[in-house]
């Protein structure tokens, strides 16, 4: 329950926020608008700190493998706060729950895109040699 008139304190100056993120991802180099893409071995994280001198929030958008979860957790922890996570049951980011959620999604994805052995391949796949 956040009051309508709530105004969060800034996370810090632009330089302070960049330094905190770089303690976990030294390659973080935001452009003038505050955006950077950080690559992991199996995924990527879009990080947006905005263009203001005093940063109000950090947006993290993770894609790819499970190796992005601990990186997100480390960055969130660097600010001593909590993060919103629309895919979690509580709406808040939790590293353990995020890893479990990713594993569940990956299991679904891996079965959803495989063809059952009992079903013949479509004619066009046989024609194309696939």
């Amino acid at each position: 329950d956040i009051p309508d008139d709530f105004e969060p304190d800034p996370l810090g100056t632009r330089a302070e926020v960049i330094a905190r993120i770089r303690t976990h991802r030294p390659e973080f180099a935001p452009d003038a608008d505050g955006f950077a893409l950080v690559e992991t071995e199996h995924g990527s994280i879009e990080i947006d700190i905005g263009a203001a001198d005093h940063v109000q929030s950090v947006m993290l958008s993770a894609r790819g493998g499970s190796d992005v979860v601990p990186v997100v957790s480390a960055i969130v922890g660097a600010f001593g706060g909590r993060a919103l996570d629309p895919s979690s049951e509580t709406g808040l980011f939790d590293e353990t729950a995020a890893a479990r959620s990713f594993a569940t999604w990956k299991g679904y994805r891996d079965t959803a895109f495989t063809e059952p052995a009992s079903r013949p391949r479509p004619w066009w796949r046989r024609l194309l040699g696939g």
Side-chain angles (χ1 to χ4, degrees), residues 114-129:
T114 57
E115 293 185 36
S118 62
R119 193 170 77 196
R121 291 181 317 191
W123 66 268
W124 53 270
R125 285 205 178 175
R126 291 191 306 270
L127 179 66
L128 296 173

Side-chain angles (χ1 to χ4, degrees), residues 11 17 19 23 25 31 34-35 37 40 44 54 57 62 70-71 89-90 93-94 100 103 108 110 118:
L11 296 174
V17 169
T23 62
R25 297 311 292 195
D31 62 18
F35 178 84
L37 181 67
T40 65
S44 63
H54 288 86
S57 64
V71 176
E89 290 181 18
T90 64
F93 176 79
D94 172 80
R100 193 171 44 247
Y108 165 76
D110 292 350
S118 62

Side-chain angles (χ1 to χ4, degrees), residues 72-126:
V72 169
S73 185
I75 293 171
V76 169
F79 294 98
R82 295 191 282 175
L84 299 177
D85 181 358
S87 66
S88 77
E89 290 181 18
T90 64
L92 296 174
F93 176 79
D94 172 80
E95 183 174 0
T96 304
R100 193 171 44 247
S101 175
F102 176 79
T104 301
W105 172 84
K106 185 177 180 299
Y108 165 76
R109 180 203 65 191
D110 292 350
T111 58
F113 291 106
T114 57
E115 293 185 36
S118 62
R119 193 170 77 196
R121 291 181 317 191
W123 66 268
W124 53 270
R125 285 205 178 175
R126 291 191 306 270

Side-chain angles (χ1 to χ4, degrees), residues 32-70:
D33 293 326
F35 178 84
L37 181 67
V38 172
E39 300 286 339
T40 65
E41 185 176 347
H42 300 288
S44 63
I45 305 167
E46 294 177 4
I47 304 175
D48 188 354
I49 63 170
D53 287 334
H54 288 86
V55 178
Q56 290 294 119
S57 64
V58 176
M59 186 280 303
L60 305 169
S61 182
R63 292 178 180 77
S66 62
D67 68 333
V68 299
V69 173

